[in-house]
Amino acid sequence: MLDKSNLDLQHLRSFLAVAETLHFTSAAHRRGVSQSTISLHISRLEEALGISLLSRSTKVVELTSSGHALIRLAQDALQSHDRIFQLSEKLETQTQIRLGLTEDLILSDLPLLLRNFRKKNNKTQVSLVTGLSHELRDRLGTGEIDLMFGMQAPNETHGHLLWQESLKWYMHPEETLDKENSIPLVVFPEGSVTRRIALETLNRHKIRWHIAFCSDSLSALLGAVKAGYGCTLQPGFLQRSALASPIVMPDLPDAPSVGFVALNNKQEFSSLENTLIQSTKDAFPG
């Protein structure tokens, strides 16, 4: 009785390699296996099917009539097998994306983009946390989040670039700055990209400064600016946010632009992550 449950696709691949080359050694090289493995695969395939596929002699290898008939069937079987796995990759559903965002992105156009993404992918739960860029990278490292969008300093190379963003100084319109005296700064704690760039920019222009207010909350920083504590350096897109009003830009030296990047804790992004990344790049072409 034939063993119909024991048809190995690797045996079919070895058979096709022999059928195409009519040479066991060439077939072995093509498949990256030994000649004895090719011979074993052919023997096992013939045993499973109960037919002779090859006519062997000391000089030549020829296909039997059954061997000729099997070629097309084997090709179809392997192509169907490959298409099944290609289809599974396309239909792969990611049930959850734990997303980390820097708080400034909450005040950009990204929440609307996220809303549209969630509507189109309603079978995927997108949870959201905020934090400073270096904090989110730590969360990636510990597996607390799957994907983050954060800020990249000019001299950093980590992450997949989404867009470049200019940094602007923000201050309440009724406040004035005296560059002859120390500039009061409203900043994030140490480790913040914008804090480091603000201090480096003022130092480069030999402008004195002091920390007047510090918080890890952007809302708190904007509140402190509105309360007249000083000025802060933040992404230019905050100008479009109602939460940043009434804040204007003081006359201070231009700071270098920063990159907003996507990172995850794997070697590549999933198909859904790539969809979200591309949508973000399209929405922020700057």
Side-chain angles (χ1 to χ4, degrees), residues 8-42:
D8 192 315
L9 293 180
Q10 295 305 319
H11 298 171
L12 288 179
R13 296 186 193 279
S14 293
F15 165 72
L16 288 177
V18 174
E20 291 168 4
T21 62
L22 294 179
H23 197 275
F24 276 71
T25 301
S26 298
H29 288 161
R30 176 174 294 191
R31 294 224 55 216
V33 298
S34 67
Q35 182 176 332
S36 61
T37 298
I38 293 290
S39 297
L40 179 62
H41 285 179
I42 298 300

Side-chain angles (χ1 to χ4, degrees), residues 12-277:
L12 288 179
R13 296 186 193 279
S14 293
F15 165 72
L16 288 177
V18 174
E20 291 168 4
T21 62
L22 294 179
H23 197 275
F24 276 71
T25 301
S26 298
H29 288 161
R30 176 174 294 191
R31 294 224 55 216
V33 298
S34 67
Q35 182 176 332
S36 61
T37 298
I38 293 290
S39 297
L40 179 62
H41 285 179
I42 298 300
S43 296
R44 293 282 174 81
L45 182 59
E46 289 178 327
E47 291 173 7
L49 296 176
I51 56 177
S52 177
L53 300 172
L54 301 173
S55 174
R56 306 169 180 84
S57 72
T58 57
K59 294 183 179 180
V60 296
V61 176
E62 295 180 340
L63 290 166
T64 65
S65 58
S66 297
H68 281 290
L70 181 61
I71 290 177
R72 183 61 185 173
L73 294 173
Q75 290 172 337
D76 290 344
L78 291 174
Q79 289 173 0
S80 297
H81 171 269
D82 293 340
R83 282 197 296 268
I84 288 172
F85 279 94
Q86 291 170 0
L87 180 63
S88 69
E89 291 174 359
K90 290 180 180 179
L91 297 181
E92 176 189 6
T93 56
Q94 189 170 351
T95 59
Q96 182 184 37
I97 297 179
R98 297 170 299 171
L99 178 63
L101 299 179
T102 50
E103 191 180 353
D104 45 21
L105 290 175
I106 300 297
L107 300 183
S108 72
D109 296 329
L110 192 58
L112 179 59
L113 184 151
L114 272 177
R115 179 177 182 272
N116 293 334
F117 175 82
R118 292 173 63 234
K119 287 178 64 177
K120 291 179 181 178
N121 302 277
N122 54 18
K123 294 184 179 179
T124 300
Q125 178 184 347
V126 183
S127 58
L128 184 63
V129 297
T130 62
L132 298 178
S133 292
H134 68 279
E135 295 172 344
L136 294 177
R137 288 200 297 272
D138 289 341
R139 291 193 175 195
L140 272 180
T142 58
E144 296 178 58
I145 58 176
D146 306 306
L147 175 70
M148 67 160 281
F149 290 174
M151 193 178 291
Q152 177 196 72
N155 59 341
E156 294 177 332
T157 58
H158 61 266
H160 176 82
L161 182 64
L162 299 171
W163 79 93
Q164 290 283 345
E165 183 70 32
S166 61
L167 293 179
K168 302 294 183 182
W169 295 99
Y170 295 91
M171 182 182 70
H172 192 278
E174 295 180 5
E175 299 297 318
T176 58
L177 294 179
D178 184 359
K179 294 182 184 178
E180 300 301 320
N181 294 315
S182 179
I183 301 295
L185 294 180
V186 174
V187 294
F188 285 118
E190 288 189 12
S192 157
V193 173
T194 54
R195 173 186 175 126
R196 184 167 79 249
I197 294 178
L199 303 190
E200 290 174 351
T201 299
L202 295 178
N203 288 339
R204 188 166 56 249
H205 289 81
K206 296 180 171 54
I207 298 176
R208 289 183 295 166
W209 53 267
H210 65 276
I211 305 298
F213 185 91
C214 180
S215 174
D216 59 2
S217 165
L218 179 60
S219 298
L221 296 188
L222 295 177
V225 171
K226 294 178 183 181
Y229 277 87
C231 59
T232 190
L233 185 69
Q234 300 298 334
F237 57 67
L238 292 186
Q239 300 172 76
R240 302 190 296 272
S241 173
L243 294 179
S245 177
I247 297 177
V248 297
M249 291 167 286
D251 181 22
L252 285 173
D254 290 337
S257 297
V258 295
F260 276 88
V261 296
L263 297 94
N264 67 4
N265 55 3
K266 299 181 286 292
Q267 291 185 343
E268 57 185 25
F269 298 107
S270 70
S271 57
L272 267 181
E273 290 172 346
N274 271 321
T275 299
L276 179 57
I277 287 170

